[in-house]
Amino acid sequence: MTAPVFVVEEVPAGPEFVLDGPEGRHAVSVKRLEPGEALVLTDGRGHWADAVVKTAEGKDRLVVSVSGAGEEPEPAVRITVVQALPKGDRGEVAVETMTETGVDAIVPWQASRCITQWRGERGAKSLAKWRATARESGKQSRRVRFPEVAEALSTKQVAALLAAADLAMVLHEDREAASEALATAELPVAGSVVLVVGPEGGVSPEELAAFAQAGARPYRLGRSVLRTSTAGTAATAVLLARTGRWA
């Protein structure tokens, strides 16, 4: 089994480090790590350190010895999913599974056909949940570079994001509107790929037109129509496999 991951503000260079606070409590009281067991410390931004437990003190303090540190390089092809806001807790499900799969960035999108609305305090709480989910899912999946979760964007802002990408894509379930499959699309060897996942009601004609003007093309994922909360994960898996990140 791979070593569990714990998040720290700054990765220690060694030789000894004290893991305390919420992460220390999780290591001692939940994971019940004991002397001699391995763990990984990360800042979630690509820096990491291998460590071994020396002693566990109380319920929330772990003393570890650091055996080595490093930095995971940025991916050659960076994958961003623009996720239309799903209903209920399906947004957290989408963030969780996309993070586990390996997406690099997630952008919440207030599409015109979204039932869910992020406004005021509710919007701030929902964004905080998405970010917390990305962090916890990054730990669970043993990542050391967690996906960034941006502020929610409008359609106009998403169009600007697409215009700046090396490859801009919009998932579409209509085989006539999207004649090319994601599995056969020509991908860049380096740069940014931005993929839009629409709401349950689909991307509106006006939004499609705005995205097309920004340089985005529609692509289909497969014969079946996926829910918005699962489509981004499936698409991320296809792109990661095809860019060699899963090799």
Side-chain angles (χ1 to χ4, degrees):
M1 185 176 179
T2 56
V5 171
F6 297 92
V7 182
V8 294
E9 286 295 322
E10 186 174 345
V11 174
E16 191 173 280
F17 180 76
V18 175
L19 182 68
D20 53 13
E23 291 292 275
R25 186 176 304 110
H26 186 72
V28 175
S29 301
V30 179
K31 288 292 188 180
R32 298 186 182 278
L33 295 184
E34 297 180 349
E37 291 192 88
L39 65 150
V40 174
L41 304 173
T42 182
D43 59 5
R45 299 185 295 276
H47 302 93
W48 57 268
D50 289 325
V52 175
V53 177
K54 292 185 69 176
T55 59
E57 302 173 354
K59 296 181 179 180
D60 61 357
R61 182 181 170 91
L62 204 68
V63 180
V64 303
S65 58
V66 178
S67 57
E71 181 179 3
E72 181 181 282
E74 289 272 7
V77 179
R78 178 178 168 84
I79 299 170
T80 297
V81 172
V82 176
Q83 174 67 59
L85 305 180
K87 294 184 293 184
D89 63 355
R90 289 189 175 274
E92 286 96 274
V93 171
V95 172
E96 178 181 53
T97 53
M98 283 192 286
T99 299
E100 291 172 356
T101 304
V103 75
D104 299 302
I106 301 168
V107 178
W109 171 37
Q110 188 73 67
S112 62
R113 292 177 177 174
C114 285
I115 296 175
T116 298
Q117 301 289 317
W118 280 13
R119 293 195 180 98
E121 185 178 350
R122 178 181 178 180
K125 287 182 178 179
S126 297
L127 178 59
K129 284 183 179 179
W130 281 35
R131 287 175 170 167
T133 299
R135 172 189 167 106
E136 292 308 310
S137 298
K139 290 171 56 180
Q140 187 277 330
S141 55
R142 310 297 197 262
R143 292 181 62 170
V144 296
R145 189 179 292 279
F146 302 163
E148 301 168 12
V149 180
E151 298 279 344
L153 299 187
S154 65
T155 296
K156 183 178 180 180
Q157 291 169 320
V158 171
L161 183 67
L162 292 168
D166 294 289
L167 177 60
M169 319 174 88
V170 181
L171 284 187
H172 203 294
E173 75 280 2
D174 191 328
R175 293 176 68 87
E176 292 185 4
S179 58
E180 188 171 0
L182 190 68
T184 58
E186 185 176 350
L187 304 179
V189 296
S192 62
V193 174
V194 178
L195 176 78
V196 175
V197 177
E200 296 293 348
V203 182
S204 72
E206 294 78 15
E207 290 164 341
L208 279 174
F211 296 159
Q213 190 172 4
R217 293 180 56 189
Y219 293 85
R220 55 186 167 81
L221 192 52
R223 292 186 177 274
S224 59
V225 178
L226 278 66
R227 302 198 68 156
T228 184
S229 54
T230 55
T233 300
T236 297
V238 171
L239 294 173
L240 287 171
R242 297 197 56 227
T243 55
R245 299 252 303 262
W246 276 11

